[in-house]
Amino acid sequence: MSRCNLPFASWGWPEFAAALCAFARGKVRCGTDIGELERQLGRLLGESNLFALDSGRTALSIGLEGLAKLRSGRLDVIIPAYICPAVVNAIESAGLRPVFGEVGSDLNLSLDSARKLIGSNTLAILVAHMYGCPADIAEFEKLTNEADIFLIDDAAQVVGESVNERQLGTFGDFGLLSFAQSKSMVTGESGAGGILICSNPGLLPIVLERIKSLEPAQSRGKALVAFVWNYLLAPYTSRATYYWQRRIRPSPRSITPARIANLDAGIALCQLESLVFRRNERVQILDSYAKHLSAIDQDIQFPQYAPDRYLARAMVLLPSGSDVEACRQLLRTRSIETRRSYPAFSEDNDPPACASDLAGRLLEVPACSTMSDADVIRVCRCLKNILQGDKFL
Ligand SMILES: *Cc1c(COP(=O)(O)O)cnc(C)c1O
């Protein structure tokens, strides 16, 4: 029985070779790969004002601080109630207030809900493309232009995908990408890399001034070793689950903003090189899940699926009332690793209904490039049998 693992990162020899090369040449913190990464990504996204930083969070904090200066006194940032916790932390750390909007069945912020939340204290709306599934960002751009508020295009989980022939991350006033584990380009654990894309010319001087003061990230060698141990070797070390089992709201982690290290930029260049290939591999597995899930069990849904759509994670939606945790335990005994979703956020322990319902029923299933069609069928069958209460698989 082959193991089915979660795709935290897909690295080949080039990534390891790039890392070794950075150490051998003494170019771990500074070097020419940083500028090269900015140039290549700039070309892909069609943007010239693009800055390689140490994380998506740093990009978000710097952009937010800039927006707050342009429109001082406004503190509210409307975000989806279903979102990566790092976003909530970055907003609060910037001294701003997250306002949680409802999400649709695609897990993205609902336009109607966001529109209703706009008030005189609204600074910006942050729209994320959850797990890579594109949000209706062009409509949000119209809305924020009409309401005269800022728009943040959070493309942390996806690189190189477009809507209306415009790249995700390039809409609105600024956008961001992340190279943390489980994103579409991975250089290491959160803190290994991220990109700030500044589209608002008024914001640019503030952002430039702030970035000029940053040093490249430190202690990256140690972080690389930890990442390889915790994530790339997770099937053997069984480490990667620790973070995701904490389903409580994490305490705000302090951010020390930095530029990307040359080591991580070199790895990012390798990931960029293989992006299209890895995308196609992923799309095939997602197609396979969509096909077999609907054939095996109509009650298990795959809400973000669409043909030829890249998804950073394959999130399936279990039927109402399913014991998701028990299901995970049983799958683990069959060597199938799964992960719960983010929790739904709210100011008052009363998250929007749809976000809260989805967060409770979503389960990430393995979608590694090494999985065959037969592996996918096995995962779907096991899920079905477990949900039907058959413990004697
Ligand atoms: C991961 C993520 C971030 C933060 O990126 P880091 O590099 O981990 O700081 C921001 N937004 C979304 C939607 C994310 O998934």
Side-chain angles (χ1 to χ4, degrees):
M1 189 165 56
S2 61
R3 293 189 62 94
C4 296
N5 300 311
L6 296 169
F8 295 112
S10 171
W11 281 17
W13 289 117
E15 281 80 359
F16 290 102
L20 287 176
C21 186
F23 286 112
R25 293 179 19 221
K27 299 276 183 205
V28 173
R29 287 192 79 203
C30 303
T32 52
D33 284 346
I34 300 176
E36 183 57 24
L37 177 65
E38 288 175 342
R39 265 188 301 279
Q40 289 196 18
L41 275 173
R43 220 176 301 141
L44 174 67
L45 301 183
E47 281 281 339
S48 43
N49 296 313
L50 177 149
F51 308 96
L53 305 168
D54 69 340
S55 63
R57 249 164 315 157
T58 294
L60 185 53
S61 330
I62 290 177
L64 282 171
E65 283 163 22
L67 295 184
K69 277 189 190 148
L70 290 177
R71 203 61 73 76
S72 65
R74 294 202 179 198
L75 296 179
D76 291 353
V77 182
I78 298 169
I79 66 172
Y82 186 79
I83 187 81
C84 168
V87 171
V88 181
N89 292 344
I91 291 170
E92 287 173 348
S93 307
L96 301 169
R97 198 172 75 98
V99 176
F100 301 98
E102 181 60 290
V103 299
S105 57
D106 63 354
L107 310 182
N108 288 325
L109 183 61
S110 132
L111 188 69
D112 272 345
S113 165
R115 185 184 286 119
K116 288 184 190 128
L117 290 171
I118 297 174
S120 57
N121 202 21
T122 305
L123 176 69
I125 298 181
L126 178 143
V127 175
H129 311 283
M130 286 311 293
Y131 307 124
C133 176
D136 206 354
I137 188 83
E139 288 301 313
F140 276 101
E141 204 170 47
K142 278 188 210 150
L143 173 66
T144 51
N145 283 339
E146 278 161 23
D148 192 25
I149 55 178
F150 297 117
L151 175 64
I152 303 162
D153 184 0
D154 183 343
Q157 301 180 341
V158 62
V159 179
E161 304 291 320
S162 51
V163 293
N164 306 344
E165 293 175 17
R166 280 173 69 188
Q167 288 278 325
L168 300 183
T170 65
F171 287 80
D173 296 277
F174 77 87
L176 59 129
L177 311 178
S178 163
F179 303 150
Q181 71 280 2
S182 307
K183 318 281 180 172
S184 65
M185 276 174 61
V186 182
T187 55
E189 203 167 347
S190 184
I195 298 284
L196 172 62
I197 303 148
C198 185
S199 313
N200 177 335
L203 180 64
L204 188 59
I206 308 177
V207 161
L208 276 173
E209 190 61 30
R210 180 75 182 94
I211 291 177
K212 222 167 49 189
S213 72
L214 298 178
E215 298 276 328
Q218 303 225 31
S219 310
R220 296 307 308 157
K222 243 188 280 173
L224 177 72
V225 173
F227 172 71
V228 171
W229 178 258
N230 287 335
Y231 288 91
L232 297 185
L233 300 178
Y236 315 102
T237 61
S238 64
R239 285 299 298 275
T241 43
Y242 77 99
Y243 176 79
W244 300 98
Q245 279 170 350
R246 286 186 313 164
R247 296 244 314 141
I248 48 166
R249 184 169 174 163
S251 58
R253 256 190 288 170
S254 64
I255 310 171
T256 317
R259 300 209 60 161
I260 198 170
N262 193 58
L263 166 69
D264 298 306
I267 297 170
L269 283 168
C270 300
Q271 287 274 288
L272 192 54
E273 175 112 26
S274 62
L275 185 65
V276 173
F277 176 76
R278 289 184 293 106
R279 175 193 200 278
N280 292 340
E281 276 185 338
R282 178 63 54 83
V283 166
Q284 273 184 24
I285 294 192
L286 299 172
D287 281 346
S288 178
Y289 266 113
K291 184 171 111 197
H292 297 303
L293 271 176
S294 68
I296 288 172
D297 191 336
Q298 299 285 333
D299 292 334
I300 307 171
Q301 290 163 30
F302 194 1
Q304 294 192 301
Y305 173 78
D308 198 44
R309 175 182 289 164
Y310 171 87
L311 293 173
R313 304 187 195 173
M315 305 298 291
V316 299
L317 188 65
L318 305 185
S320 302
S322 304
D323 186 341
V324 183
E325 209 44 56
C327 184
R328 290 193 61 207
Q329 303 296 341
L330 285 169
L331 286 169
R332 188 172 301 141
T333 65
R334 308 288 293 170
S335 302
I336 298 168
E337 289 298 328
T338 57
R339 196 162 32 164
R340 297 292 298 269
S341 84
Y342 303 126
F345 286 100
S346 71
E347 282 129 282
D348 47 10
N349 271 330
D350 186 20
C354 188
S356 150
D357 173 48
L358 293 170
R361 293 197 284 138
L362 284 166
L363 185 67
E364 179 181 358
V365 290
C368 266
S369 57
T370 50
M371 284 172 67
S372 64
D373 228 30
D375 291 327
V376 171
I377 293 174
R378 187 167 75 85
V379 174
C380 297
R381 287 226 172 99
C382 283
L383 253 179
K384 176 193 166 165
N385 291 341
I386 288 169
L387 291 170
Q388 288 181 345
D390 180 0
K391 309 256 158 75
F392 310 99
L393 298 170

